[in-house]
Structure formats: C-alpha cells, structure tokens
Amino acid sequence: MIEGLTRRERQFIERENLVLETARGFIREKGFLSLTMAELAEAVEYSVGTLYTHFETKEDLLVAMAVQTISQRAILFEQVQQARLKSRDRIYGILIVRLVLAESAPETFDIERLAASPSVWKRATKKRYQEMVAAEQRCSLIVANIIEDAISEGDLDTEHVSIADMIFGLWSLTIGFHRLTLSFDDLAKVGVSNIERAVKINYRLLLDSYDWLPLHDWDHEAVEEEFRQQILIL
C-alpha cells in the first residue's frame, strides 16, 4: 500500500500499472505498431475512455513505459555504484547491467528506442517527456559519480577528456549495441558473429584509451561474474 494516498488515488495507480504491464506484454509479442488502445482496453477490462484518463495518446503510453524501464535501469546502476569494488570494476558493471537487461527483457530497449524518437515523444504529454529525461539524467549522474570516484582515487586522469565526453562515449557504445541487436535478425550477415563479445571488447578498449586503471592484471570475467551473481538481482 502506498502511504498517504486515498483509496481512489491508489486504485488509479494500480490501474495504470496494470495497463502498462499489459501493454508491455503486447509489445513483446506483437510490437508497438500492432498495439491498439481498443485491444488494450479489452485486455485490461476497462473502457477506452478510461485508458485515455491515464494516457492522452498511444505515444504517451509508450513514453510512460520508457520511464518505467529507464527507472528500473537506474536502480540497477545504483547497485553497481554502491558496490565495494574499484572504479573500473564498477564502470564495467554498468555495461553488465545493459547486457543482463538485453538478455532478460529485450523489449525494454525497443520501448526506449521508440520513445526517444521525436515523432513519438512530441505526441506524448510534456510531463511524461520530462519524466523520461529525468530518468535518463539519473542514469547519467550515476555514471558521472563513478568517473569522479575514479579521479579522486587516482585511477583516472581526465586531462585530455572531459567527464561529459566520457559519458557520451560509453553511452554511445551501449546504445549502438542495442540498436544493432534490434535492427538485424542475423548480425553475422553484416559482419558481427558475436555482438556481446564485440561490445565487451570495445568497451574495455575504450576504458584503456582513457588510461583507466588498472590496465594490467584486471580480470574482467571475474568482475562480470561478481555483478551477475551478487549485485544484479532481477
């Protein structure tokens, strides 16, 4: 029970969460373009008009789902940030979060990809769009905090690259991984036989290019196992 809310407010939130979860299932099975508000209303046993009291458009619904998925990612990022490990281990843990989510809930990245399109978020409410931006900013701040930890601990020197540029580089690599995964059924046909292996290698090379210590005797496989077994609880 959510403290401090009236029964009507709790029912509104519960109904909205039901709609979002049901819509997520539709997208997982059929894709966003096949989703209709009429079909969704029938599935949750509410009228279409009731759905529109929660979401002004289908695009507003999609952005609301993106807020959920990005917020869930931020929670996992925070688990990584709080781990009692070296900064390089923790920044690598950010990648592992992405990989775990891609394995366990691949539709989340399709939702985020579509919601980030101007043709979608411009048709959502301003409030939903601002919530989505705030959730992504939360993720970026966590990464920035890990980078700042690395600097203060002497593992990283940002003389030649700014924190903002590092966030952009790491983010671009992981976003590119998801875009490629969603874009091709068989990546081997475009020259990538193992995309997960490729993204891990390039992520580590990017960290090396920043001279992010430790550069040698760093067991990235053990780090990945640590996060998968001890930190990331989905």
Side-chain angles (χ1 to χ4, degrees), residues 34-203:
S34 298
L35 175 66
T36 68
M37 296 297 270
E39 187 177 21
L40 181 58
E42 182 179 358
V44 297
E45 300 182 337
Y46 288 105
S47 69
V48 174
T50 298
L51 262 60
Y52 281 118
T53 65
H54 291 269
F55 311 102
E56 291 189 7
T57 63
K58 190 170 81 165
E59 290 81 5
D60 196 44
L61 170 66
L62 181 68
V63 172
M65 284 190 281
V67 171
Q68 278 191 333
T69 64
I70 298 169
S71 298
Q72 290 165 355
R73 169 158 47 90
I75 291 171
L76 293 179
F77 277 17
E78 286 169 350
Q79 290 185 36
V80 169
Q81 180 188 3
Q82 294 163 8
R84 295 183 178 180
L85 295 170
K86 292 182 69 65
S87 62
R88 177 155 174 155
D89 295 345
R90 285 182 283 140
I91 203 66
Y92 196 64
I94 295 297
L95 173 64
I96 303 308
V97 167
R98 291 281 197 172
L99 296 178
V100 169
L101 289 173
E103 295 162 6
S104 62
E107 76 281 354
T108 62
F109 298 105
D110 202 18
I111 290 169
E112 291 180 25
R113 176 181 64 85
L114 290 167
S117 170
S119 62
V120 171
W121 60 256
K122 284 185 177 180
R123 289 179 55 81
T125 61
K126 184 176 181 180
K127 179 178 179 292
R128 297 281 189 200
Y129 172 69
Q130 289 174 337
E131 288 175 348
M132 183 172 69
V133 172
E136 201 64 78
Q137 286 175 330
R138 181 181 169 192
C139 291
S140 295
L141 181 59
I142 293 166
V143 174
N145 288 338
I146 296 174
I147 295 172
E148 289 171 353
D149 286 346
I151 296 169
S152 64
E153 293 164 9
D155 293 334
L156 182 64
D157 183 351
T158 56
E159 180 181 357
H160 302 297
V161 60
S162 70
I163 292 176
D165 288 340
M166 292 179 68
I167 292 172
F168 179 80
L170 296 167
W171 192 14
S172 297
L173 186 58
T174 54
I175 289 293
F177 156 69
H178 296 306
R179 294 293 187 271
L180 284 171
T181 302
L182 293 168
S183 298
F184 298 95
D185 289 333
D186 187 356
L187 283 167
K189 293 180 180 178
V190 293
V192 183
S193 59
N194 187 329
I195 190 170
E196 182 173 312
R197 177 178 177 274
V199 75
K200 288 179 186 177
I201 289 172
N202 282 280
Y203 198 91

Side-chain angles (χ1 to χ4, degrees), residues 212-230:
W212 196 320
L213 302 178
L215 293 173
H216 308 291
D217 299 321
W218 180 62
D219 191 344
H220 60 86
E221 292 180 350
V223 171
E224 177 175 352
E225 184 66 19
E226 172 75 11
F227 280 114
R228 284 183 178 272
Q229 296 299 324
Q230 305 297 330

